[in-house]
């Protein structure tokens, strides 16, 4: 069966500059659709695996370091109240981290984002609210600038 | 304000053998209350911090390595269909990973656990179902045996 995340990784050259934030050695960072959570990214492992334990020690450590670098870039750009990290794979079992920056003025801030996202499935107005009003292309560019700085600092 | 997870870590000697699975250099693993997800653990950082980016590089890498070791032990003991990793901290902003093993025969397996856990808040029967019927003390002991083996293998 085709894996949609393997397709994304293989065809990342065809992604828009808005969606494609960064290609790391072990993963590809995409700007996610729910920019009410400004800076929300999905970090897809370049290797197809369903669990972290299937990666070699060095690939796993590399992937987790890249998650931390991306998190730092998001924090620097959008200054979240709290960052939520989730690796689930219940629907698409190819390793991917959701990094959801949470805002202090989100009335749902005490709960995981999934309750709001389920409302978005059922309600077009809620969907539009959660897709956000941010300038996506500018946000991607800001994240890239941060990652350039962070990569330079750690290489 | 008192932090409930700082209290847990400081007073871990007073935890039951059922709840206290393991003390790592950077974290403490507890068997969680929702054992419908057999093997569900919470991995609390020993240092009080609200974000991974507040830890030093070595503390952060150590904490993430411990998360991976605990995940391997859970996989070896309960053979989940899928493992869900979540670091949220929206209610208790002290670093802690939820490791939820998911089962193939859970009718909610495509969704995050939080929908079921919210039902448990409102419905005592659902609460009892999600607390599970596993022998908690035996499960903790099995996780400890696995961690002894894994720690031996990585030291």
């Amino acid at each position: 069966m085709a894996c949609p995340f393997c397709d994304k990784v293989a065809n990342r050259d065809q992604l828009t500059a808005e969606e494609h934030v960064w290609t790391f050695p072990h993963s590809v960072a995409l700007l996610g659709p729910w920019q009410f959570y400004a800076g929300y990214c999905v970090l897809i492992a370049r290797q197809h695996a369903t669990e972290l334990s299937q990666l070699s020690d060095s690939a796993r450590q590399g992937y987790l370091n890249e998650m931390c670098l991306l998190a730092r870039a998001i924090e620097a750009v959008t200054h979240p109240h709290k960052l939520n990290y989730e690796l689930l794979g219940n629907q698409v079992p190819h390793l991917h981290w959701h990094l959801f920056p949470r805002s202090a003025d989100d009335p749902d801030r005490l709960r995981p984002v999934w309750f709001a996202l389920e409302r978005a499935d059922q309600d077009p107005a809620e969907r539009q609210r959660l897709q956000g009003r941010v300038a996506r292309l500018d946000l991607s560019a800001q994240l890239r600038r941060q990652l350039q700085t962070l990569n330079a600092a750690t290489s």
Side-chain angles (χ1 to χ4, degrees), chain A:
Chain A
M1 197 173 67
C3 169
F5 285 164
C6 283
D7 285 350
K8 282 274 192 194
V9 169
N11 301 308
R12 62 188 179 278
D13 294 346
Q14 294 165 37
L15 297 173
T16 61
E18 190 178 294
E19 184 174 13
H20 178 244
V21 172
W22 199 261
T23 295
F24 292 101
H26 300 94
S27 60
V28 174
L30 304 181
L31 194 73
W34 307 111
Q35 291 300 321
F36 169 77
Y37 308 103
Y40 162 48
C41 285
V42 180
L43 186 68
I44 304 173
R46 290 173 64 171
Q47 175 185 343
H48 183 84
T50 58
E51 295 292 357
L52 289 176
S53 58
Q54 294 166 2
L55 301 180
S56 69
D57 287 354
S58 70
R60 186 173 54 255
Q61 285 162 8
Y63 183 38
L64 293 174
N65 282 341
E66 292 161 9
M67 172 192 81
C68 293
L69 274 173
L70 180 60
R72 270 178 194 260
I74 294 170
E75 287 175 327
V77 171
T78 67
H79 306 287
H81 171 65
K82 188 71 194 72
L83 198 51
N84 290 177
Y85 299 69
E86 307 194 55
L87 183 144
L88 307 177
N90 301 320
Q91 297 194 14
V92 182
H94 173 135
L95 290 172
H96 60 284
W97 285 103
H98 297 275
L99 298 188
F100 282 106
R102 306 301 302 272
S103 157
D105 59 11
D106 176 359
D108 281 328
R109 71 184 174 282
L110 295 179
R111 309 169 86 201
V113 298
W114 308 107
F115 295 96
L117 295 183
E118 183 165 86
R119 290 197 306 268
D121 264 352
Q122 295 155 2
D123 175 354
E126 183 68 346
R127 183 175 189 85
Q128 202 169 16
R129 183 180 77 94
L130 293 173
Q131 284 173 341
R133 294 171 180 279
V134 297
R136 293 172 56 90
L137 187 57
D138 181 57
L139 190 54
S140 284
Q142 286 187 61
L143 288 169
R144 273 192 291 278
R145 277 197 294 277
Q146 278 298 327
L147 284 163
Q148 275 159 353
T149 309
L150 290 168
N151 255 346
T154 58
S155 67

